[in-house]
Amino acid sequence: MVYYQTDPLDRTFAALADPTRRALLSGLEASDGLSVSELARPFDMSLPAVMKHIDVLADAGLMTRSKAGRTVTCRLNAAA
């Protein structure tokens, strides 16, 4: 994946520009935390494709990820 934006504000707006990423954030808004598979369930795309979207959102600081065993849980980070 290629990253061109170095300014945090540019990364935030670039992450929010994609409708899939906005939908992922909307899914997290209603819950305290969801696993990656729970986040990916409503989308008609592969799990690796959803993971790339999650990577962009995490790099922009819009979500956090934590791993417990084999489960990766994502949480909304509204401070960004």
Side-chain angles (χ1 to χ4, degrees):
M1 190 175 303
V2 179
Y3 297 101
Y4 294 108
Q5 293 87 14
T6 56
D7 183 38
L9 190 59
D10 289 342
R11 281 188 295 178
T12 301
F13 280 114
L16 292 172
D18 188 276
T20 302
R21 293 185 199 127
R22 290 193 306 268
L24 286 169
L25 291 175
S26 294
L28 286 174
E29 183 181 29
S31 68
D32 185 35
L34 293 173
S35 69
V36 172
S37 59
E38 290 172 332
L39 271 176
R41 190 171 293 130
F43 299 101
D44 189 27
M45 65 177 70
S46 66
L47 190 58
V50 173
M51 288 297 298
K52 287 183 181 182
H53 285 293
I54 290 172
D55 288 340
V56 172
L57 290 168
D59 288 343
L62 295 169
M63 75 167 42
T64 59
R65 292 177 289 196
S66 60
K67 187 172 183 180
R70 294 176 51 180
T71 304
V72 177
T73 302
C74 300
R75 287 186 173 78
L76 184 64
N77 182 18

